């Protein structure tokens, strides 16, 4: 089912982003195109990073630099190497030997390897979410670091030695016109979100042996639900 959907998206709208497509469909195409490894080199805006990325990779989602495809706010594309810095909630790009951080306000979406990140409102102001399934509602993942006390070792005078940083991620959903909210997947909640398509999604889950809690199953259910939706162009697009 996923491969067939990829082919439809590729043939229908990958090479040219038409004026008739809605914003949702544009980002959907980018999501699937990025997972397949397509992209074009076009300019976009960047700013200086808040923290040098070299050194320990503990605070990065990606263990190393990966291929990055940037979709700017004006729907241009750029290619570079990139990775997501959890500690400072920034996407870093390596371009011509220099490291820069993307400005969320100037970007529609960023593909890092097979993952896609989108800017959004966070408790700290603005930041990045991993886009797991695009449509209405969106399925997102939020990364953050949490400082926890570890075993206090004798002779450790530096207070920082008594703590450790732990990387945490959580699923989130974003309803139309709302900020992302924490989401603990379960069957009842998901069927509520799927509305009039709930029975179709439930049948799909039964036929494919999918559960309602594991992340990979939840993504497949959201993807199927979004395929059932017809995204209508907005006035003027």
């Amino acid at each position: 089912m996923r491969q067939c959907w990829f082919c439809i998206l590729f043939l229908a709208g990958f090479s040219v982003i038409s004026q008739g497509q809605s914003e949702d469909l544009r980002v959907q195409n980018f999501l699937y195109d990025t997972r397949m490894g397509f992209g074009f080199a076009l300019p976009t805006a960047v700013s200086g990073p808040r923290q040098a990325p070299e050194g320990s990779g503990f605070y990065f989602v990606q263990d190393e630099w990966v291929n990055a495809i940037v979709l700017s706010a004006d729907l241009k594309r750029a290619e570079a190497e990139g990775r997501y810095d959890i500690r400072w909630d920034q996407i870093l790009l390596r371009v011509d030997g220099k490291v820069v951080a993307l400005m969320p306000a100037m970007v529609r979406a960023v593909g890092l390897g097979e993952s896609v990140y989108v800017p959004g409102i966070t408790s700290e102001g603005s930041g990045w979410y991993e886009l797991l399934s695009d449509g209405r509602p969106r399925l997102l993942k939020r990364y953050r670091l949490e400082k926890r006390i570890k075993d206090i070792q004798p002779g450790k005078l530096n207070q920082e030695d008594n703590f450790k940083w732990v990387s945490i991620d959580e699923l989130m959903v974003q309803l139309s016109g709302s900020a992302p909210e924490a989401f603990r997947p379960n069957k009842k909640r998901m069927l509520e979100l799927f509305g009039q398509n709930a029975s179709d999604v439930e049948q799909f889950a039964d036929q494919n042996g999918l559960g309602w809690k594991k992340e990979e199953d939840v993504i497949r259910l959201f993807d199927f639900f979004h395929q059932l939706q017809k995204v209508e162009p907005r006035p003027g697009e």
Side-chain angles (χ1 to χ4, degrees):
M1 178 67 72
R2 170 62 64 85
Q3 294 299 324
C4 180
W5 181 237
F6 281 162
C7 294
I8 293 173
L9 283 170
F10 176 73
L11 294 173
F14 170 69
S15 59
V16 177
I17 300 178
S18 69
Q19 292 297 317
Q21 287 180 309
S22 71
E23 177 180 328
D24 289 342
L25 188 54
R26 287 168 182 162
V27 179
Q28 281 181 17
N29 284 346
F30 180 76
L31 171 63
Y32 293 117
D33 294 342
T34 300
R35 287 177 177 173
M36 292 185 70
F38 297 112
F40 293 107
L42 291 172
T44 190
V46 295
S47 67
R50 295 178 59 189
Q51 175 179 309
E54 303 299 342
S56 173
F58 179 79
Y59 301 130
F60 296 91
V61 173
Q62 296 78 21
D63 293 331
E64 57 188 17
W65 294 97
V66 297
N67 181 57
I69 305 174
V70 180
L71 181 67
S72 63
D74 56 357
L75 301 180
K76 294 180 180 179
R77 295 180 183 233
E79 282 195 19
E81 290 183 307
R83 63 200 305 203
Y84 174 59
D85 174 12
I86 305 174
R87 182 169 189 174
W88 294 108
D89 192 13
Q90 60 184 354
I91 290 180
L92 300 173
L93 298 183
R94 188 164 62 181
V95 183
D96 297 329
K98 297 181 179 180
V99 176
V100 293
L102 282 171
M103 297 169 58
M106 302 295 292
V107 176
R108 183 72 58 84
V110 182
L112 294 177
E114 296 184 353
S115 300
V116 171
Y117 295 80
V118 292
I121 302 299
T122 69
S123 57
E124 291 78 28
S126 63
W128 297 95
Y129 295 87
E130 183 177 353
L131 179 61
L132 302 181
S133 186
D134 194 47
R136 304 177 185 177
R138 276 180 164 180
L139 180 64
L140 306 167
K141 182 188 285 187
R142 176 72 173 157
Y143 294 90
R144 60 185 174 86
L145 290 180
E146 189 172 283
K147 198 173 186 179
R148 295 182 179 176
I149 297 177
K150 65 181 181 181
D151 294 336
I152 299 178
Q153 303 178 26
K156 293 289 185 179
L157 301 179
N158 187 347
Q159 188 176 8
E160 283 298 314
D161 292 331
N162 298 325
F163 296 89
K164 62 180 179 180
W165 290 99
V166 178
S167 177
I168 296 175
D169 59 76
E170 59 181 339
L171 294 181
M172 309 193 80
V173 292
Q174 183 179 21
L175 305 177
S176 181
S178 301
E181 59 185 61
F183 175 61
R184 290 188 176 183
N186 60 68
K187 184 175 181 178
K188 180 180 179 181
R189 174 62 173 142
M190 291 173 67
L191 292 179
E192 290 175 351
L193 290 173
F194 298 151
Q196 62 182 10
N197 295 120
S199 59
D200 295 322
V201 178
E202 187 173 15
Q203 183 179 20
F204 176 77
D206 292 339
Q207 291 174 345
N208 291 275
L210 302 177
W212 301 85
K213 294 185 178 181
K214 291 177 59 177
E215 181 176 307
E216 55 267 34
D217 290 347
V218 172
I219 293 173
R220 287 191 63 186
L221 294 175
F222 268 81
D223 281 348
F224 178 74
F225 168 66
H226 292 145
Q227 292 175 33
L228 298 176
Q229 293 179 298
K230 292 183 179 180
V231 182
E232 299 294 339
R234 298 174 183 175
E237 293 190 332

